[in-house]
Amino acid sequence: MDAVAPLNPSWINDQTRRRSLAHLAGHTVDVAVVGGGITGAGVALDAVSRGLSVALLESHDLASGTSGYSSKLIHGGLRYLARMDLPVAWESAVERRWLMSRIAPHLVHPLAFVIPDARSAPAWEGLAAGAGTLIYDVLRRLSGLGSTVLPRPQLLSRQAVGALVPALDGKALRRGYLYWDGQLSDDARLVLGVARTAAGLGAHILRDVKATAVTAESVDAIDTRTGAPVFIGAATVVNATGVWSADFEPLLRVKPSRGTHLVVRAERLGNPHAAHTVAVPGHFGRYVFVLPQPGGVVYIGLTDEEDHTSNGHHPQVPEYDVGFLLGIVNTTLAVPLTREDIVGTFAGLRPLVEAAKHHGVTGAGGTADISRRHLIRDVPGTPITVVGGKMTTYRRMAQDAVDAVTSRLGLDVPCRTKSLPLVGAGSAKELRAVAAPARLVAKYGTEATTVQALGRQFPHLAEPLFDGTAITGAELLFAVQAEGAASVEDLLERRTRLGFVPADAHKAQGPAAEILAFAAKLATGEGASP
């Protein structure tokens, strides 16, 4: 018996992978997308939602590169506003609006940010920060995002700052400024949601298929599970491989920038109710963020170091990055953090892109800003390349790339993704009505009841994986059956994020391996308990 058939078309698993490989062996698609991060997934969704046939190839797991290791923020571009880069700030604010109101309100939630106003800083710096939050709020309003989603900024007393962020040194503060932005419950879940929504509309999502050569109309690849060659014929090919983009487009100059985060237990910082920012001395508009997360941890990040040597899937975190982040954040804390407080680290390589000013290179202003503006390279006879940008603006990047695709194909079909909800999305009223724990609704949206049903169907999976976590075996089984997970690493690194704290990952390894084996038994119809 073959693997258990998916309950709905948006499920991605080993069975759908086999079916897609068999189909693509004898059929050409309109668009072949190389790269399974947020940009590639976004391109696949935009293209298939316009009625095009699509195949997406990812060499490893979905979100296994940069897109799974970000700061998990969907932000309106405050740092770009500070640098007077209004086009990028405005684009970010608009895309945040679509994500929080239509596309993924179940995954993107409001997060309060405190900007401490230190007594040691010149008074004008605090006043400038307060003015910046007001202008930032104007962008929020102009974008159409209501204050019921992101509240208005506030001036905070020193006591109010201490209530929100207990670890700050209150004696060193004059006051604080509060503003709100968007936070992803998990960046990898956004990638999965986009890819699964594309699959639900008919896109072929293929993980563990590594492209070795691309042309304007074909992709040669290898099935890394079997070593078998794979050939994908397509009317157009889109290169969305991020830090690997120059492998398929030699005229690009991609500068990988390492963004490192530290992980500490929330209780060590007094279980903060808000994030806070710390300015990096000598770098106007650059900050270190201290970001509370679900699961009782806090992320501290991030660095911005050019890195041409690290593995894009598993960048190493050097001691320099740890020292830099601790040094910056400790300037604001009453009790400084030490290295013993760090329970985990992670890093991603951001693809900063430069391109020669050749014809066919498009983007904001005709080129790409080295830090955040995205670039579309559309030269006849070569694949269309989309690179740069940031997670918040992935949808607009995908729209621009697919506009180039439809232009090549001579089609006039408009983009639909501004109002296209992802799997699990729902209005605030619909999400409140989901009969499942709030933790599951924040992770799965309306699909939380499906995950909960797995726990009822298999009671041994309804319990937490280990003492100290709320994550259950049912969540891991759902990850295998519906979200394409195929290994313990997939489950711990990208479906749960337990891998960010090695001690927790160690506790979960045994249960995760048992659930993988159980899922394999279900796939063959045995259905025995592990």
Side-chain angles (χ1 to χ4, degrees):
M1 180 176 176
D2 202 358
V4 175
L7 294 178
N8 66 63
S10 73
W11 282 24
I12 301 171
N13 54 35
D14 285 353
Q15 181 192 19
T16 64
R17 181 180 185 274
R18 286 193 293 270
R19 288 179 175 175
S20 289
L21 284 171
H23 175 85
L24 293 168
H27 296 82
T28 297
V29 293
D30 296 318
V31 188
V33 184
V34 183
I38 189 60
T39 305
V43 171
L45 177 56
D46 189 298
V48 75
S49 69
R50 300 197 204 193
L52 303 177
S53 57
V54 176
L56 181 147
L57 286 69
E58 162 57 41
S59 63
H60 292 74
D61 185 19
L62 296 170
S64 60
T66 305
S67 298
Y69 301 91
S70 74
S71 297
K72 288 122 184 86
L73 295 177
I74 297 297
H75 57 91
L78 183 59
R79 67 175 290 192
Y80 315 116
L81 187 63
R83 294 178 177 182
M84 297 304 293
D85 194 343
L86 296 180
V88 173
W90 173 245
E91 182 179 73
S92 299
V94 170
E95 293 304 319
R96 180 185 62 183
R97 177 256 176 110
W98 296 124
L99 277 161
M100 297 193 76
S101 62
R102 297 283 190 87
I103 297 171
H106 60 310
L107 296 178
V108 188
H109 311 284
L111 176 65
F113 279 81
V114 171
I115 303 176
D117 183 6
R119 293 181 183 275
S120 60
W124 67 265
E125 286 189 5
L127 295 174
T133 63
L134 293 175
I135 298 171
Y136 197 51
D137 192 56
V138 170
L139 286 183
R140 187 268 305 166
R141 283 182 281 172
L142 290 175
S143 76
L145 189 62
S147 59
T148 56
V149 179
L150 285 184
R152 296 181 176 90
Q154 292 177 256
L155 176 65
L156 299 176
S157 67
R158 188 174 60 186
Q159 292 76 17
V161 171
L164 289 171
V165 189
L168 288 176
D169 183 3
K171 295 178 181 179
L173 301 179
R174 294 191 190 98
R175 61 184 71 85
Y177 301 92
L178 176 70
Y179 73 96
W180 295 78
D181 229 326
Q183 180 186 38
L184 280 164
S185 57
D186 189 332
D187 48 5
R189 299 213 64 76
L190 179 64
V191 179
L192 291 169
V194 174
R196 287 187 52 215
T197 305
L201 295 174
H204 299 279
I205 308 297
L206 296 172
R207 57 162 295 174
D208 298 322
V209 177
K210 180 179 177 60
T212 56
V214 300
T215 71
E217 297 180 341
S218 68
V219 180
D220 285 301
I222 295 174
D223 183 338
T224 60
R225 295 186 183 182
T226 66
V230 176
F231 176 81
I232 306 294
T236 52
V237 174
V238 176
N239 171 16
T241 54
V243 293
W244 297 277
S245 294
D247 292 350
F248 303 112
E249 180 43 80
L251 289 181
L252 285 179
R253 294 191 296 273
V254 177
K255 293 186 175 182
S257 172
R258 186 181 64 251
T260 293
H261 296 78
L262 312 180
V263 185
V264 301
R265 299 289 186 189
E267 60 187 5
R268 172 59 179 81
L269 295 173
N271 295 306
H273 299 287
H276 80 271
T277 65
V278 187
V280 177
H283 296 270
F284 180 72
R286 184 181 169 194
Y287 303 92
V288 167
F289 298 103
V290 183
L291 304 164
Q293 304 293 318
V297 296
V298 173
Y299 299 157
I300 299 171
L302 73 172
T303 59
D304 188 0
E305 297 293 331
E306 189 170 339
D307 185 343
H308 290 275
T309 62
S310 288
N311 180 331
H313 292 285
H314 297 286
Q316 295 298 308
V317 173
E319 179 61 24
Y320 170 82
D321 287 9
V322 176
F324 168 80
L325 292 172
L326 283 180
I328 297 296
V329 76
N330 279 339
T331 63
T332 66
L333 301 181
V335 180
L337 293 170
T338 68
R339 280 163 172 75
E340 287 68 37
D341 294 313
I342 300 170
V343 296
T345 61
F346 67 92
L349 295 183
R350 184 169 62 244
L352 308 185
V353 62
E354 294 179 312
K357 295 183 179 179
H358 298 294
H359 71 88
V361 176
T362 62
T367 59
D369 182 293
I370 190 61
S371 62
R372 275 299 185 266
R373 297 187 187 185
H374 66 272
L375 178 146
I376 308 294
R377 188 171 192 278
D378 179 12
V379 176
T382 69
I384 294 168
T385 294
V386 52
V387 66
K390 54 199 177 78
M391 180 160 283
T392 303
T393 59
Y394 83 88
R395 191 212 62 81
R396 183 52 194 256
M397 295 171 64
Q399 177 182 332
D400 290 349
V402 180
D403 282 348
V405 168
T406 57
S407 178
R408 281 197 184 186
L409 297 180
L411 301 174
D412 184 14
V413 285
C415 175
R416 293 180 50 207
T417 53
K418 286 182 182 178
S419 58
L420 180 62
L422 303 184
V423 290
S427 67
K429 181 179 179 181
E430 290 169 334
L431 293 174
R432 285 193 299 268
V434 175
R439 182 188 70 83
L440 291 181
V441 176
K443 185 175 180 179
Y444 299 100
T446 59
E447 291 190 312
T449 54
T450 303
V451 178
Q452 204 170 27
L454 286 175
R456 289 193 297 268
Q457 183 180 0
F458 306 109
H460 62 286
L461 300 182
E463 299 301 317
L465 296 175
F466 57 87
D467 290 339
T469 186
I471 296 169
T472 68
E475 295 173 60
L476 271 59
L477 180 59
F478 184 78
V480 176
Q481 291 187 336
E483 298 176 341
S487 69
V488 170
E489 179 186 334
D490 296 342
L491 294 173
L492 302 186
E493 289 287 332
R494 289 170 290 278
R495 303 308 186 279
T496 65
R497 314 329 289 260
L498 289 169
F500 285 174
V501 180
D504 291 347
H506 179 73
K507 295 175 185 176
Q509 284 223 353
E514 291 177 354
I515 291 164
L516 271 176
F518 179 55
K521 290 180 179 180
L522 288 177
T524 58
E526 295 181 40
S529 298

